Structures are given as structure tokens and as C-alpha cells.
Amino acid sequence: MKKWIYLAIIISLSVLLSACGNDQENDQADEQENNNAEDTFTIGVIPAQTEGEMQQAMDKLQSILDEAMEENVKVDVYPDYNGVVEAMNYDKIDMAYFGPLTYVVAHEKSGAKAIITQLIDGEPYYHSYIITHKDNPWGSLEDLLANPEEIDFAFGDPNSTSGALIPEIELQDQGVYQSEDDHSFNSVRFTGSHDATALAVQNKQVDAGAIDSAIYNQLVESGKVDGDQIKTIWKSEELFQYPWAVHQDTDEETIATLQETFQGIDDEEILNAFGATGFTTATNEDYKSIRDAAVKQGVIEE
């Protein structure tokens, strides 16, 4: 009997020691994971196009930045615009690719600083377009709005500058739109991305939609959208291009490295993901007109 008791004690001690060893290994693994996270420079990217189509280009960008910086870099494409703002706001990321509107919101909330923007044919500007199918009779926005109750209209992401904010202001000024639930159209929808809006117009799922001019042109050039099936009936004034912004605590050496690296990027796949031809420096002052529009719409309080 004593022999069995001793055996049971030995087995119990073995199990206990094994459990302690596993706990220690788990603690070490958790500590290593936390250290790796602290050593990683994280970048959040808004979905300029559908997430799957952007990821390969972002993997290339991650490799370029990995070589240029003295720490690991991780680039993630977020499913929506607001997620990137919140990630910056709660210190989950070190840098972000924002739309102009989401940038001014992030700057207001967390002090995010614009340091880079993209170039289109050498210029840091783009437009908001309203597009329609070529078979439709409208040749201008005024034509489209002659009978708004017959029109199915599409915006992009609710937090998009060119896909929502700027065309919303124009349609408000025209007296046909106040909100998604208060408008004169037959219907209003938010597609979530610029390419989805373009395809909705091309496939006649909606009568007209708002879109980023640079991304629209890139979609046509890449063959993802048939430009012969679509016509532009309204163009906004110039908008300063999408910013790459860093966390407010980012040191000047890191900012300089990022600016130099981005300005040296010539990989076509990376550039095409943003409808860009290159990158240049940017500052918060470049987005004053967007901030003014956001204040007008009540997105930001004065």
C-alpha cells in the first residue's frame, strides 16, 4: 500500500513540475511576443481599393521600409476608414495612410502628423468625381438633379473625402441631400470603397456615384473598370492628396527616414495601389481646406 502511495506522490509532483515548466515557457513566450511588438513599427492603411488587391503591394512596401528602418515594419490594410483613425487614437499603430478627412479627424483626436503625400503626374492634388453610365442621358450634375427622385446614388466610405464629404457638401448646396436618411433621391447607398462605386455605376446598379479621380483613373488604366462605359458629370475643386501621418510622439530622425524612403519608391505595383506616380512631403497646413469642410459638416467641432 505504501508503495502505491509513494508512486502517486511522485506522479503528482511530476505533473506539478511539468505544469510549472509550461507556465514558465508560456510566460517567456508572452514576454518575447510583447518585446517583438514593441520593436515593430506598425502602419495602418485605409482601403483605397479592395483589401485583397492592396495586400500584395503593401507586402512590397513593408519590405522596402524594413530595409530602410532599424526595426521591423508591419503594414496592415484595415477594412474601413474609421478603424485606422481609432487605431491611431488608441496608440495601436505608429503611422497611417489616411484619406484627407480621416487625417484631419485623427489630427484632432490624437495629434497625428502628416509627413508624406502622393503625387499624380507630379502634382499633389486630386478631385472628387461624380460619374454615371455612358448610356444615361445626363451630361452634367444639373441634368442629373433635374429629377432626383428617380436617381439611385452611391457614395463610397462614409469617412471618405472624395467619396462622401465633398460631394455631400455639393449635393447639400444643390438642395437634394442632407443625410443618408434625409434626401430627395430614390435611394442612397454607401459602397465602402471607390472601386465598388465604379463597378456599381458600370453595372448600372446605381445611376451615379462619387469617387476619387486618381483611383478612378487607375482603375480604368488597369482594366478593372471599363472607362468607355462611364462618363464624369461633375468634378470638384482641387483636393490635397491622401497623407501618410505618424504618431505625434514620432522622433524627427524616424520622420526623416520615412520621408526619404517614400520619396525614393518607384515600384509600379505600390504606386498603382494608390493611383500615384510618386511621393512628396506634406504638412498639417496642407489640409486646412479639408478641415474647414469637416467643420462645416459637423464632423469636427470648431
Side-chain angles (χ1 to χ4, degrees), residues 133-145:
H133 197 278
K134 73 173 183 63
D135 292 343
N136 291 328
W138 315 297
S140 68
L141 183 59
E142 289 69 26
D143 293 342
L144 179 77
L145 300 181

Side-chain angles (χ1 to χ4, degrees), residues 218 265-279:
Q218 192 274 328
I265 291 174
D266 58 7
D267 185 282
E268 289 296 321
E269 187 169 11
I270 296 173
L271 295 174
N272 286 341
F274 306 104
T277 55
F279 294 98

Side-chain angles (χ1 to χ4, degrees), residues 47-296:
Q49 299 181 47
T50 54
E51 184 174 351
E53 293 173 347
M54 287 190 70
Q55 192 58 57
Q56 186 171 339
M58 296 306 94
D59 290 344
K60 283 189 172 183
L61 176 62
Q62 181 173 297
S63 296
I64 290 172
L65 293 174
D66 259 335
E67 291 183 12
M69 302 181 70
E70 296 181 357
E71 54 188 328
N72 294 327
V73 175
K74 189 173 190 299
V75 182
D76 287 321
V77 180
Y78 279 62
D80 58 59
Y81 285 49
N82 191 57
V84 184
V85 175
E86 291 305 304
M88 180 68 78
N89 191 34
Y90 288 100
D91 299 332
K92 300 296 185 183
I93 55 178
D94 302 297
M95 184 179 186
Y97 173 67
F98 290 116
L101 174 58
T102 43
Y103 165 67
V104 298
V105 171
H107 178 76
E108 197 76 12
K109 285 186 173 183
S110 62
K113 298 189 296 186
I115 63 167
I116 286 287
T117 193
Q118 57 206 41
L119 295 168
I120 306 297
D121 297 327
E123 297 292 333
Y125 303 105
Y126 73 116
H127 302 271
S128 172
Y129 281 172
I130 291 179
I131 57 176
T132 188
H133 197 278
K134 73 173 183 63
D135 292 343
N136 291 328
W138 315 297
S140 68
L141 183 59
E142 289 69 26
D143 293 342
L144 179 77
L145 300 181
N147 299 104
E149 68 280 357
E150 299 176 0
I151 303 300
D152 296 314
F153 195 89
F155 295 104
D157 188 286
N159 295 302
S160 170
T161 307
S162 56
L165 176 68
I166 299 303
E168 281 178 343
I169 290 175
E170 176 64 25
L171 294 174
Q172 285 175 0
D173 291 345
Q174 297 281 354
V176 296
Y177 182 85
Q178 291 300 318
S179 69
E180 186 176 3
D181 300 318
D182 182 9
H183 56 79
S184 302
F185 294 114
N186 181 58
S187 70
V188 168
R189 72 173 71 173
F190 286 84
T191 67
S193 68
H194 296 291
D195 53 341
T197 298
L199 290 171
V201 171
Q202 177 177 300
N203 297 330
K204 298 185 178 181
Q205 296 168 331
V206 295
D207 297 303
I211 193 170
D212 175 312
S213 64
I215 292 177
Y216 170 71
N217 290 335
Q218 192 274 328
L219 289 168
V220 171
E221 289 170 7
S222 66
K224 296 175 183 176
V225 169
D226 185 354
D228 292 336
Q229 299 298 309
I230 296 174
K231 58 184 175 181
T232 301
I233 59 174
W234 178 80
K235 180 173 78 171
S236 72
E237 295 181 356
E238 287 182 339
L239 307 171
F240 205 79
Q241 270 288 355
Y242 293 40
W244 294 80
V246 293
H247 190 277
Q248 63 178 346
D249 296 333
T250 306
D251 63 86
E252 292 302 317
E253 183 179 352
T254 298
I255 290 174
T257 298
L258 288 165
Q259 289 177 323
E260 181 180 356
T261 304
F262 268 89
Q263 289 179 93
I265 291 174
D266 58 7
D267 185 282
E268 289 296 321
E269 187 169 11
I270 296 173
L271 295 174
N272 286 341
F274 306 104
T277 55
F279 294 98
T280 189
T281 57
T283 66
N284 183 60
E285 287 70 30
D286 293 322
Y287 298 92
K288 182 181 183 303
S289 64
I290 304 300
R291 187 183 187 282
D292 292 343
V295 170
K296 178 179 180 180

